[in-house]
Amino acid sequence: MRKATLALFLTALFFTTIINANQQEKKYSLRGVYGMATSNDLGEIVFGKFNPDQKDLKVYSVDGGYLLWNDLFDLPMDIYAKGGLSYYDENDHPNAYGADLYIKAFWNFDFWKNRVRFGFGEGISYTTRLLWTEENDAYNPDDSTNPDPTSKFLNYLDISLDFDLGKLVRSKTFEDLYLGVMIKHRSGVFGLFDGVHGGSNYNSFYIEKNF
């Protein structure tokens, strides 16, 4: 946890010192993420279950984005093209690297001069090794010698909720700096990807800067 706190602090310092907070047209985004694997499936997480995985599996990732549409159809919705690189800390198992490409929509809620965003991203994900949590999810108790299919290449979902730190504390320096929580989800979409029916979920915290 100390490593994660230090990483988030350094990321925040990086964003606030090298990025011009007064730049008018903010087309880009950069995000740092720390996540923990969970044994819950996506539906359980959405309804409030956040049990950590027994194996203490983690993910660290950096994502960059480009704004495609602002206020799409005159709605408070922004669309970004995003890509990211991840490092999966597999504890006692071989670690892995990953890459994600996705399109993400943010629905903006503005109230009392504050901003909250709900984000939903959809795309593809690749890892250099099969993740332990995904292999465990594919374990077939009825036939341990014949597990369900797994794959390095899977569908990717990125579901998030964050707030603008600068607007909250009334500081121009920290405007467009977002703190949030997210679900980092890989799955086979009920067999559409290589017959995979399982996947993995990481409950995550992040800091993101638009510039």
Side-chain angles (χ1 to χ4, degrees):
M1 184 60 71
R2 289 182 180 178
K3 290 182 179 179
T5 303
L6 178 61
L8 288 175
F9 172 77
L10 292 175
T11 303
L13 183 62
F14 172 78
F15 286 151
T16 55
T17 54
I18 73 168
I19 294 173
N20 183 358
N22 295 320
Q23 190 173 349
Q24 294 300 312
E25 190 175 11
K26 296 178 173 63
K27 286 285 190 179
Y28 302 94
S29 69
L30 188 62
R31 180 180 74 174
V33 178
Y34 167 74
M36 298 160 285
T38 174
S39 56
N40 298 120
D41 61 33
L42 183 60
E44 291 174 327
I45 297 171
V46 169
F47 286 100
K49 289 189 177 181
F50 305 103
N51 298 327
D53 191 278
Q54 297 283 326
K55 295 291 183 178
D56 195 28
L57 310 177
K58 304 180 182 69
V59 64
Y60 305 88
S61 66
V62 175
D63 295 71
Y66 179 77
L67 179 65
L68 298 176
W69 293 284
N70 177 250
D71 293 334
L72 184 66
F73 304 129
D74 291 327
L75 297 173
M77 182 168 60
D78 301 330
I79 308 294
Y80 283 81
K82 285 179 169 277
L85 298 175
S86 300
Y87 172 72
Y88 292 89
D89 182 350
E90 296 281 82
N91 200 358
D92 296 330
H93 305 275
N95 297 329
Y97 296 92
D100 309 311
L101 290 174
Y102 57 105
I103 298 294
K104 187 166 183 178
F106 288 98
W107 191 276
N108 304 306
F109 300 91
D110 292 327
F111 57 95
W112 296 333
K113 298 183 179 180
N114 293 309
R115 166 160 290 192
V116 174
R117 305 185 305 174
F118 171 74
F120 185 88
E122 162 65 35
I124 54 176
S125 177
Y126 176 81
T127 56
T128 56
R129 291 178 176 270
L130 294 176
L131 301 181
W132 186 90
T133 185
E134 293 173 3
E135 290 190 277
N136 186 60
D137 193 44
Y139 174 73
N140 187 346
D142 296 326
D143 186 358
S144 60
T145 63
N146 187 27
D148 294 334
T150 55
S151 176
K152 298 177 184 177
F153 181 73
L154 291 174
N155 186 68
Y156 178 69
L157 292 182
D158 184 303
I159 305 171
S160 64
L161 184 68
D162 60 26
F163 65 91
D164 188 320
L165 179 62
K167 291 185 183 298
L168 181 67
V169 300
R170 303 295 187 264
S171 170
K172 287 288 185 182
T173 302
F174 293 100
E175 278 194 6
D176 293 300
L177 182 66
Y178 292 89
L179 301 180
V181 294
M182 61 171 283
I183 304 170
K184 189 176 178 70
H185 172 82
R186 280 170 40 93
S187 75
V189 196
F190 307 107
L192 291 179
F193 282 71
D194 293 334
V196 177
H197 286 268
S200 61
N201 295 289
Y202 288 80
N203 294 325
S204 308
F205 304 93
Y206 68 86
I207 181 168
E208 182 169 14
K209 176 66 180 179
N210 290 348
F211 59 98

